[in-house]
Amino acid sequence: MYYGGEVNYVAKDIAVQRKGDDFDENYRFETIPVVKQSQTIKDEKDLSEFLYEGKAIPISNTNFLGSDMDSISSFLIFNNLDTNRTNSLGYLYENLDVSETTLNSIRYESLNDLNSAISIRKIKTDEWLQYAYFNINQYDDLLFVPKNYLLANSLDKNTTLVDNLQQPLIDDDSEKSTLDNADSSKDDDTLFLEHFEKLIKSQKYDLTLEREDLISFYLAVKTNILTILSGLSGTGKSKITTAFADALGILKTNQFKMISVRPSWQDDTDLLGYADTMHNVYRPGDSGLVEILKDAQDNPNKLYVVVLDEMNLARIEHYFSQFISVLERRSEDRVIHLYNKNVVPLFNKENYPNEIKIGSNVRFIGTVNIDESTFSLSDKLIDRANIIQLALLPFTPSNVKLS
């Protein structure tokens, strides 16, 4: 409405949402689409078929999700409108890739294009709604949930895993037999490298790299806890790490973390955080590294990848000192100390223990530029890391796509 020549906004139907007991003003929320039971999608079987075939799923309020497909949540909620429960949320689908959104629908990549199964979890509604920040009876097309409640340990607490959607089975026995025979001669490493290389060359990443570099990178990550990608600025080092996580199926999960190193970092408190002895609490670093390391410690059977982008913008031996010291130890002895528990008791010590084990399921990848704006790598670091120098390909018509 207009008043005095100025535009004034009027808000209607406002409801006060109770904050959870552990609400923090620094919470970051993830917007999760909610699919309601309808004539089009009557049950979980119907929704599974839509996901198998990559069909558009009806949902309103998609304008709140944004236009960047990579930024849209990898979670989806199916509200089966259980009449036996009030405010029943139904099921949570995890590990989805959005391919398109329209005004009233959302489309996910078909399961044939996904490299890992979609997890289906039954939501424990009473526990989950403590963290939902809208009135589900009125606004049940989008759900806002703090990101830390979407970590694996929280999901295991507030949901129950009921199924994993795999790629659809082939009905034609002869065709299935042909596919099985075609892949029987290839081991898992070969199959993964083929998938990784295909993804690197796809329109999504559009990188031109030597195959030997991709093989060396994969073997380096597989055999050592720290791998460093070196090369000139603009050669696609960060993109390679993102594509690697994508190929592993962990890109949009809490198992992958991209951390941008800042030139001002002086010691490991900039990366990990510190014990605030004045308020008796532990203050984790903005990088989020502590959270992912805690999660990796709680889930030793899952692979976690941490990328330190432009790793040598600051002196690595300063902010990464603890990690360098423990890299050469056995996996059971690799422990990072956050603070001295004997100095002062912390109120949040249950959430932030004084030490974290770096298991064999954690891999660090660093990208470095070699120019006048960065620091050189020390012998101590080089001795503990696998370093891959990306080949500089010639700019010739053979590797240039013409439109």
Side-chain angles (χ1 to χ4, degrees):
M1 62 179 290
Y2 288 91
Y3 181 77
E6 297 181 357
V7 177
N8 293 281
Y9 296 94
V10 178
K12 297 181 179 180
D13 299 326
I14 296 176
V16 177
Q17 175 66 42
R18 182 185 67 82
K19 296 179 181 178
D21 297 334
D22 59 349
F23 179 80
D24 190 315
E25 62 182 10
N26 295 318
Y27 271 167
R28 293 184 179 182
F29 292 85
E30 186 149 333
T31 306
I32 302 178
V34 180
V35 176
K36 293 177 291 186
Q37 187 181 40
S38 63
Q39 291 297 320
T40 305
I41 300 179
K42 300 177 182 179
D43 51 30
E44 299 90 307
K45 182 179 179 181
D46 288 341
L47 181 55
S48 297
E49 290 181 0
F50 273 61
L51 294 173
Y52 279 139
E53 301 174 14
K55 293 181 179 179
I57 299 173
I59 181 177
S60 58
N61 291 336
T62 53
N63 55 310
F64 289 106
L65 298 176
S67 57
D68 183 2
M69 299 298 102
D70 290 338
S71 67
I72 298 178
S73 176
S74 59
F75 292 89
L76 175 72
I77 289 176
F78 175 55
N79 186 352
N80 61 351
L81 304 178
D82 185 353
T83 56
N84 297 323
R85 294 289 303 275
T86 303
N87 291 341
S88 174
L89 276 175
Y91 296 87
L92 178 72
Y93 288 69
E94 180 185 6
N95 194 28
L96 294 165
D97 283 330
V98 179
S99 61
E100 180 186 25
T101 60
T102 64
L103 183 62
N104 55 4
S105 70
I106 187 169
R107 188 190 304 272
Y108 295 90
E109 294 183 14
S110 65
L111 258 65
N112 288 319
D113 295 327
L114 294 175
N115 42 56
S116 60
I118 297 173
S119 298
I120 306 178
R121 297 172 175 270
K122 176 67 175 176
I123 297 173
K124 300 176 183 178
T125 303
D126 293 337
E127 290 87 344
W128 187 271
L129 285 179
Q130 297 179 47
Y131 317 128
Y133 286 87
F134 73 91
N135 187 332
I136 191 167
N137 286 326
Q138 298 178 24
Y139 309 108
D140 51 358
D141 292 315
L142 298 173
L143 184 67
F144 304 98
V145 177
K147 288 191 174 182
N148 52 309
Y149 291 118
L150 298 174
L151 300 180
N153 54 348
S154 295
L155 289 177
D156 290 339
K157 178 181 178 182
N158 300 311
T159 65
T160 303
L161 183 65
V162 295
D163 197 7
N164 283 305
L165 290 182
Q166 304 287 347
Q167 292 186 358
L169 295 176
I170 301 173
D171 295 329
D172 188 343
D173 292 337
S174 61
E175 183 180 357
K176 184 177 187 299
S177 176
T178 301
L179 290 177
D180 287 343
N181 292 333
D183 289 338
S184 61
S185 61
K186 299 179 180 179
D187 57 24
D188 292 340
D189 289 330
T190 302
L191 291 173
F192 175 81
L193 281 168
E194 289 178 354
H195 174 61
F196 184 28
E197 185 176 17
K198 181 180 178 181
L199 194 61
I200 283 285
K201 295 179 179 179
S202 68
Q203 188 176 4
K204 184 175 183 180
Y205 294 99
D206 197 22
L207 291 171
T208 303
L209 297 166
E210 291 282 7
R211 190 169 192 272
E212 289 75 10
D213 284 345
L214 293 182
I215 295 174
S216 298
F217 172 70
Y218 170 65
L219 292 177
V221 175
K222 185 175 182 178
T223 57
N224 197 15
I225 191 173
L226 175 61
T227 298
I228 296 178
L229 277 177
S230 174
L232 296 176
S233 179
T235 52
K237 298 184 293 296
S238 301
K239 262 190 173 183
I240 292 172
T241 62
T242 304
F244 182 65
D246 200 352
L248 290 170
I250 63 174
L251 178 60
K252 296 182 179 180
T253 72
N254 61 304
Q255 293 170 243
F256 175 72
K257 185 70 176 180
M258 174 82 74
I259 300 174
S260 297
V261 175
R262 300 175 186 175
S264 60
W265 286 1
Q266 297 294 327
D267 54 42
D268 58 8
T269 60
D270 294 307
L271 184 62
L272 296 171
Y274 66 97
D276 183 349
T277 55
M278 180 174 292
H279 300 92
N280 289 359
V281 294
Y282 187 79
R283 306 285 186 186
D286 294 337
S287 66
L289 180 58
V290 170
E291 282 75 13
I292 192 173
L293 292 181
K294 284 172 49 188
D295 204 51
Q297 181 178 251
D298 295 337
N299 299 277
N301 295 323
K302 291 184 177 181
L303 176 65
Y304 290 76
V305 176
V306 178
V307 177
L308 296 170
D309 196 28
E310 299 195 55
M311 189 180 192
N312 60 336
L313 276 180
R315 287 196 177 277
I316 303 172
E317 295 76 12
H318 291 179
Y319 72 85
F320 206 59
S321 58
Q322 277 204 75
F323 294 89
I324 296 175
S325 298
V326 303
L327 287 181
E328 58 186 357
R329 300 177 188 173
R330 297 179 302 174
S331 59
E332 58 268 26
D333 297 328
R334 289 199 292 260
V335 177
I336 297 297
H337 297 277
L338 300 183
Y339 57 89
N340 188 341
K341 64 179 180 180
N342 298 320
V343 173
V344 60
L346 301 180
F347 295 130
N348 59 346
K349 63 181 180 181
E350 292 185 359
N351 294 327
Y352 297 101
N354 68 303
E355 60 182 30
I356 299 178
K357 181 182 177 182
I358 310 299
S360 57
N361 62 328
V362 178
R363 290 293 185 268
F364 291 94
I365 302 174
T367 68
V368 299
N369 294 324
I370 307 300
D371 55 37
E372 67 280 356
S373 67
T374 61
F375 294 95
S376 59
L377 305 182
S378 68
D379 292 339
K380 182 179 180 181
L381 180 67
I382 293 174
D383 184 55
R384 289 164 171 78
N386 285 337
I387 300 179
I388 307 298
Q389 175 75 43
L390 295 178
L392 186 61
L393 296 182
F395 187 75
T396 63
S398 62
N399 57 21
V400 174
K401 297 180 181 179
L402 299 179
S403 58

